[in-house]
Amino acid sequence: GAVVSQHPSRVICKSGTSVKIECRSLDFQATTMFWYRQFPKQSLMLMATSNEGSKATYEQGVEKDKFLINHASLTLSTLTVTSAHPEDSSFYICSARDEYTGKGTEAFFGQGTRLTVV
Amino acid sequence: DAKTTQPNSMESNEEEPVHLPCNHSTISGTDYIHWYRQLPSQGPEYVIHGLTSNVNNRMASLAIAEDRKSSTLILHRATLRDAAVYYCILRDVWYGGSQGNLIFGKGTKLSVKP
């Protein structure tokens, strides 16, 4: 089946630094990818919708200047957490659907990235 | 998207069937019922989906009430690997583009005892 690969799976960074998370669709193309955030013992919350070749769409309350999204190709979207602070520590998950081969029903998720800001 | 209601948690014994309920009384005629599960420290994975008829696949079965206001995910023989949070999500028939995201509720945390 289709696979979405997310990297890194785990990262620890110092407060004030930036961290980039990559999300790749390995065997299908995706014009749209989604970025979620999940705090401990809570559900996934959509942060933003990544659109290939255009600006991302951010959910209310998500700072676009802090969470930079780049969707430069049909198989890669990146999320950069800029000037990270401890409150940004969370589990970040990307998702994509195979929109071109008729398998659009199922959403595929990356393995997630555990970000810890110290 | 219409809202779903699931129990916070359920317990099962290994190798026994598990029935995970979901209520969706405000479901619309074009809403599909999707189930995803999230194993600890992993991203969610697709389990099954259906519209009106009961559905079976290699992972599970989905039983949909005749009025579509509730559904039940059935794991025929629970294993320790099935311990996860199970999410019941309604999605409109149109999934495309920016509307393709999923809205997750709190789900049901399934524990499986050996």
Side-chain angles (χ1 to χ4, degrees):
Chain A
V3 176
V4 171
S5 177
Q6 193 172 336
H7 179 80
S9 58
R10 190 179 297 268
V11 59
I12 301 172
C13 71
K14 290 185 178 180
S15 188
T17 62
S18 296
V19 173
K20 180 185 284 188
I21 303 169
E22 291 188 348
C23 179
R24 294 181 185 273
S25 55
L26 296 185
D27 54 359
F28 66 97
Q29 295 180 329
T31 56
T32 305
M33 292 186 178
F34 304 96
W35 287 96
Y36 296 82
R37 180 168 53 183
Q38 185 175 33
F39 291 108
K41 299 192 184 302
Q42 294 188 23
S43 190
L44 285 77
M45 293 296 295
L46 181 67
M47 297 176 64
T49 301
S50 173
N51 304 299
E52 187 268 337
S54 65
K55 291 182 179 180
T57 306
Y58 291 83
E59 295 300 299
Q60 192 171 10
V62 178
E63 301 175 55
K64 62 179 182 180
D65 294 330
K66 181 170 185 61
F67 298 99
L68 301 180
I69 291 173
N70 185 13
H71 195 151
S73 77
L74 288 172
T75 59
L76 174 64
S77 175
T78 60
L79 169 68
T80 301
V81 183
T82 63
S83 187
H85 288 99
E87 56 265 32
D88 298 323
S89 299
S90 188
F91 194 50
Y92 293 86
I93 306 166
C94 68
S95 171
R97 287 173 44 250
D98 185 347
E99 302 169 35
Y100 290 92
T101 63
K103 300 178 183 177
T105 300
E106 180 179 347
F108 300 98
F109 290 83
Q111 308 94 314
T113 297
R114 176 79 58 193
L115 171 63
T116 303
V117 184
V118 297
Chain B
D1 295 307
K3 188 177 176 181
T4 63
T5 304
Q6 299 177 253
N8 290 333
S9 62
M10 289 185 66
E11 274 191 358
S12 170
N13 293 317
E14 198 176 10
E15 298 192 3
E16 290 187 356
V18 182
H19 291 233
L20 297 164
C22 180
N23 288 319
H24 28 78
S25 58
T26 59
I27 190 171
S28 75
T30 54
D31 280 333
Y32 277 78
I33 302 160
H34 286 249
W35 284 82
Y36 283 78
R37 72 179 186 181
Q38 185 177 22
L39 302 173
S41 299
Q42 294 188 30
E45 64 174 343
Y46 168 83
V47 178
I48 200 167
H49 79 281
L51 184 62
T52 57
S53 303
N54 294 344
V55 184
N56 300 297
N57 66 22
R58 63 176 181 81
M59 287 183 72
S61 296
L62 177 60
I64 302 173
E66 199 169 329
D67 63 5
R68 300 211 323 127
K69 293 186 177 182
S70 66
S71 61
T72 302
L73 179 70
I74 302 167
L75 306 179
H76 295 286
R77 288 183 69 216
T79 69
L80 297 178
R81 263 208 87 249
D82 292 322
V85 178
Y86 286 79
Y87 298 98
C88 170
I89 302 171
L90 301 184
R91 285 297 292 131
D92 193 86
V93 64
W94 170 247
Y95 300 97
S98 61
Q99 298 175 330
N101 64 292
L102 295 172
I103 299 174
F104 288 82
K106 294 184 178 180
T108 297
K109 183 174 182 179
L110 174 66
S111 302
V112 180
K113 296 184 290 185

